[in-house]
Amino acid sequence: CCPEDKCLNVVCYPDKNRCNCDIMCVEDIHILFDYLLKNGYKINTDVTKIMQKSDVKIKNLICYISK
């Protein structure tokens, strides 16, 4: 990414034919979670809770995902 503050981390739709825009919206997080679970990833709610309670905060943390 460029060194400017205008850069964003984005997630694109797994199925590009589904939408005119390749970038997913927050309302479609269920599509991302479904894709990740079907492809062997795990959403670890215990680690997510520990990270949310930690003094070291991760901005906009949704959940911890591992493979």
Side-chain angles (χ1 to χ4, degrees), residues 8-21:
L8 299 172
N9 292 316
V10 299
V11 177
C12 295
Y13 280 98
D15 179 8
K16 291 184 181 180
N17 295 326
R18 186 181 190 293
C19 180
N20 293 335
C21 173

Side-chain angles (χ1 to χ4, degrees), residues 2 6 9 12 15 24-25 28 38 40-42 51 54-55 57 59-60 62 64:
C2 60
K6 297 178 183 180
N9 292 316
C12 295
D15 179 8
M24 293 184 81
C25 297
D28 296 324
K38 285 180 179 176
Y41 290 86
K42 294 179 180 152
M51 293 172 76
S54 171
D55 291 337
K57 298 296 178 195
K59 187 177 178 180
N60 299 321
I62 297 171
Y64 181 81

Side-chain angles (χ1 to χ4, degrees), residues 9-63:
N9 292 316
V10 299
V11 177
C12 295
Y13 280 98
D15 179 8
K16 291 184 181 180
N17 295 326
R18 186 181 190 293
C19 180
N20 293 335
C21 173
D22 288 339
I23 299 172
M24 293 184 81
C25 297
V26 69
E27 295 84 12
D28 296 324
I29 197 164
H30 65 282
I31 296 170
L32 173 63
F33 287 168
D34 184 56
Y35 173 83
L36 292 171
L37 293 171
K38 285 180 179 176
N39 286 279
Y41 290 86
K42 294 179 180 152
I43 299 171
N44 191 319
T45 54
D46 292 333
V47 173
T48 301
K49 290 175 187 175
I50 291 168
M51 293 172 76
Q52 289 172 332
K53 292 178 183 178
S54 171
D55 291 337
V56 178
K57 298 296 178 195
I58 299 174
K59 187 177 178 180
N60 299 321
L61 172 69
I62 297 171
C63 63

